[in-house]
Amino acid sequence: MSTERSPIRVVQAVHGRREAVADPSYQAALAEELRQSYGTAGLVELYGRFMAGDGFVDLLMRKSIWQSVAKSCGCGLQVGSGAGFKHPETFEIGNSVFIGAQACVQGRHDGRCIIGDNVWIGPQAFLDARDLVIEEFVGWGPGAKILGSSHTGIPVDVPIIRTDLEIKPVRIGAWADIGTNATILPGVTIGKGAVVGAGAVVVSDVEPFAVVAGVPAKFLHWRTDSTPVKP
């Protein structure tokens, strides 16, 4: 058995380099027909019939239903099997957005969820999208999470789950990259081009083009630095 290690390979990215291509006209017509025929509640129910499959029809219907029910939605959307949502009528989705299998985007009836062009959201991601903006060309690792709200826990003589919900906006700047299983806490802003390491828990704002990691996440170095600073 050879112990020789394979060399590191550098290959071109796929999703981030893809040019937005207009959807076939029949897809827009299908989305409009679904919107007219089912309405928001009916579309959410209909989605369950096509949520789990991987065939062409299931993929087409998931995409068309998201386009029908969202506040706005660009072309080239891809939605993996098992991906779920709540209050999709508040979503504003850009062009060429990918949402991985079993991801969940949870909005709120009076909330705001904006996902910019060319965003890639990995499988099993969870986005508390009650007040969320993700700008363009963001990479979102598998299993990474946004927590955008928490209970006040006051007064203490009632169950916490019955206390008021405090919603804090989360903002993810353009070109940022969020590592696998990282967690972004309520009220945090991730700056443009910043990198969040895998498994990090981000409790405070991250400066543009900074690299952070750990629990809680700490600054490691700037992406422009040639010699990283030890944590």
Side-chain angles (χ1 to χ4, degrees), residues 64-153:
S64 298
I65 291 172
W66 278 68
Q67 289 179 316
S68 301
V69 75
K71 191 172 184 180
S72 64
C73 185
C75 63
L77 175 67
Q78 299 177 69
V79 182
S81 60
F85 53 62
K86 189 171 184 181
H87 291 294
E89 71 276 13
T90 64
F91 297 176
E92 298 173 53
I93 302 172
N95 296 315
S96 298
V97 170
F98 174 89
I99 299 173
Q102 299 178 27
C104 179
V105 184
Q106 181 170 320
R108 180 182 158 88
H109 65 91
D110 58 354
R112 178 174 70 146
C113 170
I114 298 175
I115 300 175
D117 294 343
N118 293 291
V119 169
W120 189 93
I121 298 172
Q124 299 181 325
F126 173 78
L127 308 181
D128 179 340
R130 294 176 172 92
D131 189 348
L132 172 64
V133 176
I134 299 177
E135 297 180 349
E136 68 271 17
F137 286 101
V138 168
W140 195 267
K145 299 171 180 63
I146 286 176
L147 306 181
S149 58
S150 61
H151 289 277
T152 63

Side-chain angles (χ1 to χ4, degrees), residues 161-185:
I161 199 171
R162 298 188 68 176
T163 62
D164 292 343
L165 199 62
E166 187 174 53
I167 298 170
K168 295 181 179 179
V170 175
R171 302 289 182 261
I172 311 297
W175 309 0
D177 190 73
I178 312 299
T180 299
N181 287 326
T183 300
I184 313 298
L185 294 191

Side-chain angles (χ1 to χ4, degrees), residues 8-47:
I8 295 173
R9 296 193 303 150
V10 178
V11 300
Q12 282 193 343
V14 176
H15 181 81
R17 300 176 68 90
R18 183 174 295 154
E19 298 291 335
V21 177
D23 294 327
S25 58
Y26 73 85
Q27 287 188 195
L30 174 59
E32 180 59 29
E33 183 62 33
L34 291 171
R35 184 183 299 111
Q36 295 291 335
S37 299
Y38 286 89
T40 299
L43 286 169
V44 171
E45 183 177 350
L46 181 67
Y47 185 74

